[in-house]
Amino acid sequence: MASGVPPETPADTPSGASAGGSAAPSPVPSSDAHERERRHAQRAEGWSIVWMLVALLVWGWFAFLMLADYGPEYDGRPVCRGPLVGPLSEGRRCEDAWRAWPALLGVLALATLTTVTAAATTVYAKVLTRLAHRDRPSVPLSEGPGAPSRG
């Protein structure tokens, strides 16, 4: 070398990039990258739990609206029956905006949307968790303890 600077070796360049500038992916991520992937997977798992709880709350709200009796009480019991419990209660006393079918279908749609979101987030979190653990060194079955000996 005329300049007196030694050529770069793959160990000197970041991420194993050669002196030509092309970066080859390293087969094993650094511990910092592995830790970042693990934290991202844990964060996604936390969000999946939050979405599951939200979905459960919305489904509980929907079940309450469909099953619970409501309205003014007569002899200690509400006069109006829930839409799935008994016959529809007719009359002005039993008119409730949340018990009307358009509102009930809206709550059902919200419950379905949160359930699908919870399921998708859970699958995403599981995939991230598996990807975070994909590069751990493993011992082939033929060389592990209890493997049949050759020879």
Side-chain angles (χ1 to χ4, degrees):
M1 292 277 146
S3 65
V5 178
E8 287 185 299
T9 62
D12 295 337
T13 59
S15 303
S18 65
S22 65
S26 70
V28 178
S30 68
S31 62
D32 188 37
H34 188 280
E35 182 65 26
R36 199 170 39 247
E37 287 178 352
R38 192 180 62 76
R39 279 194 319 264
H40 189 67
Q42 286 176 338
R43 190 177 312 121
E45 189 172 349
W47 276 110
S48 72
I49 291 170
V50 169
W51 277 111
M52 280 187 218
L53 292 175
V54 169
L56 284 173
L57 285 173
V58 176
W59 277 109
W61 181 32
F62 179 71
F64 174 77
L65 290 174
M66 293 296 286
L67 299 173
D69 295 338
Y70 63 99
E73 291 188 8
Y74 181 74
D75 283 337
R77 281 195 67 162
V79 175
C80 307
R81 306 283 294 175
L84 288 182
V85 176
L88 287 177
S89 306
E90 299 296 330
R92 210 137 178 76
R93 297 183 304 186
C94 293
E95 288 181 8
D96 185 13
W98 285 107
R99 305 285 205 245
W101 282 107
L104 290 172
L105 290 176
V107 174
L108 177 63
L110 183 62
T112 304
L113 180 67
T114 56
T115 302
V116 169
T117 304
T121 309
T122 301
V123 169
Y124 178 66
K126 296 296 179 189
V127 168
L128 285 180
T129 301
R130 290 203 178 201
L131 287 176
H133 293 95
R134 75 185 180 281
D135 292 328
R136 293 195 178 199
S138 61
V139 177
L141 291 176
S142 61
E143 297 175 12
S149 60
R150 296 181 193 179

